[in-house]
Amino acid sequence: MLLVFILASSLVYSQQIKITGKVTNQQKEVLEQVSVSEANSRNGVMTNSKGNYLLNVISKDSVKIIFSLVGHQQRQYIIPRPKEDITLNIVMQEDNELGAVTVEGKKTVTTVIERVDYLATRRASNPWGGIESLLATMGGVTSKDELSSQYSVRGGNFDENIVYVNGIEIYRPLLVRSSQQEGLSFINPNMIQTVGFSAGGFSAEYGDKMSSVLDITYKKPEKFEGSVSAGFLGGDIHIGNSTGRFSQITGIRYKTIRSLLSTTDTKAEYDPSFIDAQTYITYDLSPKWEISLLGNYSHNTYKYTPKTRSTSFGTLDTPRNFTVHFDGWEKDKFITYQAALTLKGKIKENLNMGITGSTFSSDERERYDIEGSYILKELDLSGENVAVDDSSLLGIGSYIEHARNKVKSEVYTISHFGDLKIGSNLLKWGMTYQKENVSDKIKEWEMRDSAGYSLPNNGTDLNLYSNLKSDNRLKPSRFSGFIQDTYRFNTDKGLFILNVGVRASYWSFNEELIISPRGAIAFVPAGKENFSVRLAGGIYYQAPFYKEFQRIVNVDGNNVIELNKDIKSQKSIHIVLGTDYYFGGGGERNSAPFKLSGEIYYKKLSDLVPYTVNNVKIRYSGENSAKGYAMGLDMKLYGEFIPGVDSWVSFGLMKAQQEIDGIKVPLPTDQRFNFALFYQDYMPGYERLRMSLRGLWSQGLPVSAPYRGYESGYFRTPAYKRVDIGFSWQVLGENFAIRNKNSFCKAFKNIWLGMDVFNIFDMQNTNTYYWVTDVYNHQYAVPNYLTGRQLNFKLMAEF
């Protein structure tokens, strides 16, 4: 009887479900030979000549069905707790790009543009959140400041990354000097449809930057959707809907980092407030023509009244303490607007064209007057304070920092773009005219006093430690264009995909014309879709915009910024060789739970403009006086370590070096190793309780003394080590019975309650250094530590 009971139970819980349907393309043409498979199994079928399929699955908690066809974007559907036969009709979109990776990374990679799992941004535990927090775990990408959304890629700095949203280039404020001021990233995760990222070797359609491209597409809602979330670090709300020809999605975000800043060494009254509003509106003028509007408004303020600071540092043999008592304030404001109006349509079945007009405006103001009185002393070997006497004092003094800085910038752009499909060729082109208007007024100085002496001390005069002035206006024009072709062809050896293109740009300020040829080829062996190899490269330029050609000259004892009209674009020649291998699940790509990716790269750099980095402030020398290279290896293991949940681990080795006036030194972003982990898990049999973990470990960056380049000497900060962990519990779901019994609960699709522990091991990471000089001109580097352990609670509801 027990055996019969077990068999009967097994039959009840293993009911077979039939999933049937038809697969078509966007032109409503049937697609045959489409692979329809159940994830994490060998269960799969192909569509017939009429596009129909029938797939038998076993009823269980949830079933993930994967639809894939070469030349089309992969589609995935999760069917929660199927109990009866289901009809599922699918429309697949053509993949006109060079075979991008899908959201979950399961499609053969035939390009250097990789798709990122943007859905994980809601699950990732990170103080700043957003897509950038996940980019920091990708191969070749590093981030060493949890308060900043900036990242560096393969030896490049923050300014060398280009970001697009719906084909519109995104600009960021120019005056921000610290991550505490930075505010929200432009990208709103609630509005994202797809995310593409390339760490090098990207095609000619992307602009003139030397390191990376982040390509975001905002979604057009097909029905009403919305979400709201709130936590200790702020909140957000978004609403989207579609009615006939009209669709819109709008999001508002608020961020505050007051609780995070309270974990730093400086005790102060922090009042940061970051607000952002975005909308993406589309209207179908006809079945073939569409007009769309992308708008953004950002208002960021940072108010800061420091009180005291106490930092202990040094080694076990030489423990030291730096104590400061402050008086003063800081008030910063950054306001930005960006809008773009696009008209695009289908001229013929194989011809698409469009035109875009966009504008960007920023008003940035930075004001502070801060006075500090400090004591630098030795501690005893136990690390405890000793009495302040002549034997323990290393330095005593005060300083005053003053600034009244203002930058205004405007960028007006009009562009034309199009694509033409002829047989196996896809031709793309674009032309852009851009008018730039930038003006600044910089007035800042710092005075330091040590034991009654003004530093630097020449024995007679009272001197400022540093000062800077600027009053410049810039109104250049920029012309650019590109053309590229993607060609696919099959042989008995396998599938080849070739992409070649050229990009050109002219800037009126320095009257420079740059030409950038680029290309890539990919190969998928016949009968081995679980393996691919690709080679990409080209010439990439870093066209100067504002900061790169600011040159500091001495005028009557004052440091004054002048604009170098002889500046040239920095140049980088990329060579990238990459491969992907899928394994597990019987070796079939669609069912393989793991993917191992690897890329080796070399970048030859010339006409470099040397720079130093302090927090997120990049100060360029204003001269093309360096050359160098960056080379390395990036590897990434991606897969479902737990069924149905994606995780990945990446590891990179790199050497980035420059030569300045014959002296070889590392680039400011040189890191010999980088390890990153993003891992997700859930309770077996109870998927309502989930966990996400994000870990980073990378070598420290080179640091030099202030107002000196790396060629005058440098050392490295300690390694950056940080682990964030988050837990989320699904309070309400679409399949919960209570939704049908309670009208309030029925209004929501999902409700999640989350708890994050940031920097769970409370590791002390060094951001920058404050340099203390005594009267004998001995310098001490006092570390400015980043945030410590912090607890955060949040609530998110979807409707």
Side-chain angles (χ1 to χ4, degrees):
M1 290 182 63
L2 179 62
L3 181 60
V4 171
F5 176 77
I6 292 174
L7 291 174
S9 300
S10 176
L11 290 174
V12 170
Y13 287 98
S14 301
Q15 179 184 358
Q16 195 172 70
I17 303 298
K18 292 182 179 180
I19 301 177
T20 59
K22 177 180 287 189
V23 181
T24 59
N25 60 17
Q26 291 175 293
Q27 287 75 41
K28 298 183 179 181
E29 300 169 340
V30 299
L31 296 176
E32 60 178 316
Q33 297 299 308
V34 177
S35 172
V36 184
S37 61
E38 181 182 0
N40 306 315
S41 76
R42 298 190 181 185
N43 182 24
V45 297
M46 307 290 284
T47 58
N48 59 22
S49 59
K50 297 182 179 180
N52 297 321
Y53 69 93
L54 186 154
L55 179 67
N56 295 314
V57 300
I58 302 299
S59 177
K60 50 187 175 181
D61 183 59
S62 64
V63 176
K64 181 188 289 186
I65 307 299
I66 300 172
F67 298 81
S68 61
L69 177 66
V70 173
H72 293 75
Q73 296 181 10
Q74 189 184 83
R75 300 294 299 270
Q76 299 186 10
Y77 285 86
I78 296 178
I79 304 172
R81 302 183 183 183
K83 296 180 180 179
E84 57 185 20
D85 294 348
I86 296 172
T87 299
L88 189 59
N89 296 320
I90 301 299
V91 177
M92 299 191 70
Q93 296 180 356
E94 290 188 2
D95 189 357
N96 290 330
E97 300 303 323
L98 214 65
V101 179
T102 61
V103 168
E104 298 193 19
K106 292 294 183 65
K107 187 176 179 181
T108 305
V109 182
T110 53
T111 180
V112 291
I113 293 289
E114 181 176 1
R115 298 294 180 193
V116 181
D117 182 7
Y118 70 92
L119 296 175
T121 58
R122 294 191 174 189
R123 304 185 292 268
S125 177
N126 176 262
W128 209 244
I131 196 68
E132 294 87 355
S133 65
L134 287 183
L135 288 183
T137 64
M138 308 293 286
V141 184
T142 58
S143 174
K144 293 200 61 179
D145 190 341
E146 61 271 10
L147 295 177
S148 173
S149 61
Q150 301 304 318
Y151 53 91
S152 56
V153 179
R154 293 179 177 173
N157 64 40
F158 315 140
D159 293 336
E160 296 174 19
N161 305 316
I162 193 167
V163 179
Y164 291 95
V165 173
N166 287 18
I168 310 301
E169 183 177 354
I170 304 303
Y171 299 89
R172 66 188 188 95
L174 303 170
L175 198 58
V176 173
R177 76 178 195 282
S178 70
S179 54
Q180 291 95 320
Q181 305 169 312
E182 191 174 301
L184 287 157
S185 161
F186 181 96
I187 304 164
N188 188 330
N190 295 323
M191 301 171 65
I192 291 176
Q193 177 68 40
T194 61
V195 179
F197 177 75
S198 173
F202 41 90
S203 59
E205 64 184 298
Y206 298 111
D208 296 307
K209 297 287 186 177
M210 289 201 304
S211 288
S212 75
V213 58
L214 178 62
D215 190 4
I216 307 290
T217 301
Y218 277 177
K219 58 187 173 183
K220 293 174 55 178
E222 297 180 357
K223 58 182 179 179
F224 179 81
E225 65 173 65
S227 70
V228 58
S229 68
F232 289 174
L233 300 181
D236 60 69
I237 183 173
H238 99 276
I239 295 176
N241 72 298
S242 176
T243 55
R245 296 183 176 185
F246 174 83
S247 75
Q248 70 82 29
I249 185 167
T250 302
I252 300 175
R253 296 177 292 169
Y254 170 75
K255 195 83 172 181
T256 178
I257 54 174
R258 185 180 306 170
S259 60
L260 282 172
L261 295 176
S262 65
T263 65
T264 61
D265 288 340
T266 301
K267 306 307 174 186
E269 295 179 8
Y270 294 101
D271 186 16
S273 178
F274 311 129
I275 300 174
D276 167 273
Q278 292 188 46
T279 187
Y280 177 54
I281 302 171
T282 65
Y283 182 76
D284 294 333
L285 299 174
S286 70
K288 294 185 178 182
W289 285 91
E290 173 191 280
I291 188 170
S292 62
L293 172 68
L294 175 66
N296 169 265
Y297 169 77
S298 176
H299 188 281
N300 301 326
T301 59
Y302 178 73
K303 298 178 182 179
Y304 167 62
T305 306
K307 301 297 182 184
T308 62
R309 167 183 174 171
S310 180
T311 302
S312 296
F313 65 103
T315 65
L316 290 175
D317 295 329
T318 59
R320 292 166 180 163
N321 178 266
F322 180 64
T323 302
V324 188
H325 294 275
F326 296 101
D327 185 21
W329 52 269
E330 178 175 354
K331 296 180 181 179
D332 307 321
K333 182 170 65 173
F334 305 90
I335 301 176
T336 61
Y337 308 83
Q338 188 152 2
L341 186 66
T342 300
L343 173 67
K344 61 182 180 180
K346 185 180 292 292
I347 307 297
K348 296 181 180 179
E349 286 301 316
N350 63 338
L351 176 62
N352 300 296
M353 298 180 68
I355 186 171
T356 296
S358 65
T359 178
F360 167 80
S361 175
S362 73
D363 186 357
E364 309 169 37
R365 300 171 188 267
E366 180 184 52
R367 300 181 300 154
Y368 57 81
D369 282 299
I370 298 176
E371 180 179 359
S373 299
Y374 65 84
I375 296 176
L376 177 65
K377 60 185 177 181
E378 291 181 330
L379 304 177
D380 60 27
L381 295 181
S382 66
E384 300 294 332
N385 291 337
V386 297
V388 179
D389 53 37
D390 292 341
S391 63
S392 66
L393 280 178
L394 298 174
I396 183 171
S398 62
Y399 63 87
I400 301 176
E401 296 177 342
H402 167 90
R404 297 292 185 272
N405 298 331
K406 181 170 63 175
V407 173
K408 289 188 176 182
S409 58
E410 296 173 346
V411 180
Y412 304 97
T413 304
I414 185 168
S415 60
H416 161 70
F417 57 90
D419 62 78
L420 175 65
K421 190 172 183 179
I422 305 175
S424 298
N425 294 77
L426 177 65
L427 187 68
K428 280 189 173 184
W429 67 88
M431 296 177 290
T432 300
Y433 169 74
Q434 182 170 298
K435 182 65 177 179
E436 303 159 3
N437 186 358
V438 183
S439 62
D440 67 13
K441 283 187 178 292
I442 306 296
K443 295 179 181 179
E444 62 182 56
W445 53 263
E446 180 181 1
M447 189 192 75
R448 295 191 183 183
D449 176 86
S450 180
Y453 292 90
S454 175
L455 298 175
N457 175 27
N458 61 14
T460 57
D461 299 329
L462 180 67
N463 295 320
L464 293 176
Y465 182 74
S466 67
N467 74 326
L468 190 64
K469 289 185 176 181
S470 177
D471 187 0
N472 291 305
R473 287 172 176 79
L474 185 68
K475 294 183 177 181
S477 297
R478 196 183 304 264
F479 304 85
S480 63
F482 79 91
I483 185 170
Q484 72 175 35
D485 182 39
T486 302
Y487 177 62
R488 298 169 179 264
F489 59 96
N490 275 296
T491 69
D492 55 356
K493 300 295 184 181
L495 171 66
F496 288 87
I497 303 176
L498 178 66
N499 176 279
V500 292
V502 63
R503 186 176 189 88
S505 178
Y506 174 80
W507 196 35
S508 64
F509 178 79
N510 59 356
E511 299 180 348
E512 180 188 32
L513 174 66
I514 55 178
I515 299 177
S516 174
R518 307 173 189 179
I521 186 170
F523 173 62
V524 181
K528 295 183 179 179
E529 288 192 355
N530 64 326
F531 176 78
S532 67
V533 63
R534 60 194 177 275
L535 177 67
I539 300 176
Y540 298 81
Y541 288 93
Q542 179 75 18
F545 178 69
Y546 167 72
K547 296 186 292 184
E548 292 91 339
F549 53 95
Q550 290 185 336
R551 180 170 53 191
I552 299 178
V553 296
N554 190 284
V555 179
D556 299 328
N558 294 313
N559 291 325
V560 178
I561 295 177
E562 71 171 15
L563 304 181
N564 179 13
K565 299 202 70 170
D566 296 324
I567 196 72
K568 294 191 296 183
S569 297
Q570 302 177 83
K571 183 179 179 181
S572 175
I573 300 177
H574 290 199
I575 300 177
V576 181
L577 176 63
T579 184
D580 294 273
Y581 175 66
Y582 298 82
F583 61 97
E588 296 294 331
R589 171 170 59 87
N590 293 331
S591 58
F594 295 103
K595 181 185 77 173
L596 180 63
S597 301
E599 285 190 345
I600 57 175
Y601 60 90
Y602 179 82
K603 299 196 292 188
K604 182 181 179 182
L605 310 173
S606 58
D607 292 326
L608 292 182
V609 180
Y611 63 91
T612 56
V613 181
N614 186 12
N615 204 308
V616 296
K617 181 73 172 181
I618 299 176
R619 175 65 69 187
Y620 292 90
S621 68
E623 301 276 358
N624 298 103
S625 59
K627 61 181 180 179
Y629 66 88
M631 62 179 182
L633 165 69
D634 291 323
M635 300 192 70
K636 180 181 176 183
L637 176 62
Y638 182 106
E640 296 182 0
F641 298 92
I642 303 297
V645 179
D646 301 320
S647 303
W648 58 85
V649 58
S650 64
F651 177 72
L653 298 172
M654 181 185 70
K655 183 178 181 181
Q657 183 172 285
Q658 61 181 334
E659 183 178 328
I660 307 174
D661 298 327
I663 302 175
K664 294 182 178 180
V665 294
L667 281 165
T669 52
D670 175 56
Q671 289 177 300
R672 300 301 168 90
F673 70 88
N674 180 57
F675 175 84
L677 168 71
F678 180 71
Y679 183 77
Q680 299 183 90
D681 200 356
Y682 58 83
M683 292 290 292
Y686 193 74
E687 297 187 19
R688 293 174 60 186
L689 182 59
R690 294 180 174 249
M691 181 274 294
S692 68
L693 184 144
R694 175 180 177 269
L696 301 174
W697 178 35
S698 56
Q699 187 188 31
L701 295 172
V703 176
S704 66
Y707 310 107
R708 298 181 184 178
Y710 296 96
E711 62 273 24
S712 301
Y714 68 91
F715 65 96
R716 288 184 181 270
T717 62
Y720 183 84
K721 295 169 287 186
R722 183 182 177 92
V723 177
D724 302 311
I725 190 169
F727 300 91
S728 56
W729 179 56
Q730 190 178 20
V731 180
L732 181 68
E734 289 189 84
N735 298 319
F736 286 29
I738 193 174
R739 290 188 72 242
N740 298 322
K741 300 178 181 179
N742 187 294
S743 58
F744 175 79
C745 294
K746 197 172 183 179
F748 298 93
K749 293 180 181 178
N750 296 287
I751 297 179
W752 291 86
L753 180 63
M755 183 189 75
D756 300 313
V757 185
F758 303 135
N759 196 3
I760 188 172
F761 299 118
D762 202 25
M763 297 175 176
Q764 280 191 323
N765 291 305
T766 301
N767 185 13
T768 57
Y769 289 89
Y770 183 82
W771 293 79
V772 179
T773 308
D774 63 20
V775 69
Y776 302 107
N777 210 31
H778 296 153
Q779 288 190 319
Y780 301 89
V782 182
N784 296 316
Y785 293 121
L786 288 164
T787 60
R789 184 189 296 117
Q790 179 72 25
L791 192 65
N792 178 54
F793 290 94
K794 58 185 179 182
L795 178 67
M796 185 182 74
E798 298 175 342
F799 49 86

